[in-house]
Amino acid sequence: MAYSSKVIDHYTNPRNVGSFAKDDPSVGTGVVGAPECGDVMKLQLKIDEGGVIEDARFKTFGCGSAIASSSYVTELVKGKHIDEALAIKNTVIVKELNLPPVKIHCSVLAEDAIKAAISDWKKHRGNAAEQSKKTAAEA
Amino acid sequence: MVRCPSCAAPSGTGLVCERCGRPLGEELDCFAALGLEPRLALDGAALESRYHELGRRIHPDRFATDDAAVRAASLRAMALLTRSYRTLRDPISRGLYWLELRGEKLAEDNKTVPPELAEMVFEIQEQLAELGASPAGNDRDRLRGEIEGRRAEVRSRFDRAHRELEGNFVRWDRNAGGQDELTAGLKQALSKIAYLRTLLRDMDRALAAAAEN
């Protein structure tokens, strides 16, 4: 199958590959999988107090389209507020990367990874808030 | 109930007319094509003998002197039979087909990878990347040995997941937990197998590439 030039660009020169420390409270980690093909994707977002995404890292082991989708998403979400990031639809990724119909699930995976990472961050923050409340109550 | 195009008898729901023995050529689901109740747990040997028995009854050679409509019906029935047998023979493709029959998609509400499994996938994939990047020498040989060891571990997990799937088929057929639990359980089991299968494939590729250089 022929990949679009944008997919090839992201695949051969992926942006923001890597990891943040998982236990950093400002980091949300989303791990999602595509059971149709067995690809697994990890997206991590570093989010400031105000809910703005400062930085992003990904690790994807899968086909070119899955890697390109996650690479593109890390660029797309940087600087966005989480509410904007949550509104990102996979169709944006499909359009940008020119994904063929059989690879649309890769873009859905990237969309789901954003949602999973943000919900993980919210969970962290919820725990942290509770913790500080508890500490305040104990003091 | 369809009418047999050859003898016009109302002729049941299978591949063959019960009265005149000619193929009906109707489109059926894979279970119905083999004359089976839709069940997840199937006996492989019984399935195979049923496939051969039906194949003999509808084979195009038997209808070579019949008119064109019968011959066409025989071809359609034979193609359907073969497709159905291949779909149902393998437990994984049978499970996937089961979901498809119910309008379910494997990936729907099913993107979460069990954390422990995801961790293993990432860890091993890192090792594979390292293997691909390392120059020939002792370090690479050691890494290769390590990956080969882990491959055996992943393989046995894959086999276990396979056996669990078939064990669950029996339980799900009894449908003790209801339709939703069945669908969710089936999706999870098939996904786990898919992740392990992809990992095995990637390990084999990386090991083969390392052996070549």
Side-chain angles (χ1 to χ4, degrees):
Chain A
M1 188 184 46
Y3 283 122
S4 73
S5 59
K6 279 183 179 156
V7 170
I8 292 169
D9 177 35
H10 277 281
Y11 180 65
T12 52
N13 177 26
R15 332 297 196 249
N16 308 308
V17 178
S19 301
F20 295 129
K22 226 183 184 164
D23 42 12
D24 181 341
S26 69
V27 170
T29 303
V31 175
V32 291
E36 303 98 328
C37 56
D39 287 353
V40 183
M41 186 181 282
K42 178 165 90 176
L43 178 70
Q44 290 187 304
L45 303 175
K46 209 173 170 46
I47 303 169
D48 75 11
E49 289 286 311
V52 174
I53 298 168
E54 296 180 310
D55 207 352
R57 291 280 182 279
F58 86 94
K59 262 184 193 178
T60 296
F61 300 102
C63 67
S65 303
I67 290 169
S69 295
S70 30
S71 170
Y72 172 58
V73 151
T74 57
E75 288 193 314
L76 193 62
V77 296
K78 264 196 225 181
K80 282 202 164 71
H81 188 268
I82 52 171
D83 293 342
E84 289 173 273
L86 284 171
I88 293 173
K89 288 266 166 289
N90 79 298
T91 45
V92 179
I93 305 166
V94 173
K95 214 169 151 199
E96 166 70 17
L97 299 175
N98 237 321
L99 295 179
V102 291
K103 292 295 180 182
I104 284 174
H105 69 267
C106 299
S107 66
V108 176
L109 197 58
E111 181 194 322
D112 290 339
I114 302 174
K115 296 195 162 71
I118 292 175
S119 109
D120 183 58
W121 176 77
K122 283 183 176 164
K123 212 162 67 192
H124 278 180
R125 291 209 7 131
N127 289 346
E130 231 154 78
Q131 198 60 45
S132 64
K133 235 189 272 166
K134 222 168 133 191
T135 320
E138 277 166 13
Chain B
M1 195 62 85
V2 294
R3 234 164 235 294
C4 173
S6 301
C7 70
S11 16
T13 51
L15 283 176
V16 191
C17 171
E18 295 303 334
R19 193 160 89 184
C20 71
R22 286 188 173 77
L24 294 167
E26 287 285 312
E27 206 41 59
L28 300 167
D29 75 57
C30 292
F31 290 101
L34 281 146
L36 297 168
E37 292 290 317
R39 293 181 79 81
L40 282 161
L42 294 179
D43 172 13
L47 188 69
E48 191 184 350
S49 66
R50 194 178 268 270
Y51 165 63
H52 289 306
E53 195 250 358
L54 277 165
R56 274 193 296 276
R57 289 174 66 188
I58 60 170
H59 199 281
D61 286 355
R62 291 194 51 182
F63 307 101
T65 57
D66 279 79
D67 63 14
V70 176
R71 280 183 280 135
S74 151
L75 284 173
R76 278 201 306 279
M78 199 67 203
L80 171 65
L81 178 67
T82 306
R83 193 171 69 236
S84 302
Y85 174 62
R86 285 191 184 144
T87 303
L88 298 186
R89 181 174 54 175
D90 173 53
I92 297 173
S93 80
R94 189 193 313 149
L96 289 170
Y97 179 69
W98 181 275
L99 291 176
E100 191 188 314
L101 267 187
R102 277 150 192 78
E104 293 279 347
K105 289 208 172 73
L106 181 60
E108 211 156 69
D109 302 321
N110 182 32
K111 293 286 168 51
T112 318
V113 187
E116 172 258 355
L117 180 61
E119 202 148 303
M120 185 180 77
V121 168
F122 284 119
E123 219 179 271
I124 292 177
Q125 292 283 8
E126 300 275 339
Q127 281 186 315
L128 299 183
E130 200 187 322
L131 179 69
S134 70
N138 287 342
D139 279 354
R140 193 170 78 167
D141 293 344
R142 183 191 43 78
L143 192 54
R144 242 179 85 182
E146 241 173 68
I147 293 171
E148 266 155 13
R150 301 211 69 175
R151 194 203 173 278
E153 178 199 328
V154 177
R155 176 80 224 183
S156 81
R157 283 185 65 145
F158 176 80
D159 292 341
R160 203 163 58 229
H162 225 258
R163 282 197 302 276
E164 275 168 14
L165 178 71
E166 293 195 69
N168 277 332
F169 278 175
V170 178
R171 199 168 57 82
W172 287 327
D173 279 335
R174 284 194 232 112
N175 207 0
Q179 199 64 29
D180 290 346
E181 190 195 308
L182 189 165
T183 305
L186 183 55
K187 281 184 181 182
Q188 270 168 25
L190 290 169
S191 307
K192 187 168 154 193
I193 288 173
Y195 296 127
L196 290 169
R197 187 170 49 195
T198 299
L199 185 59
L200 274 177
R201 183 202 64 197
D202 290 349
M203 291 177 99
D204 286 342
R205 281 185 188 164
L207 286 169
E212 266 173 30
N213 297 318

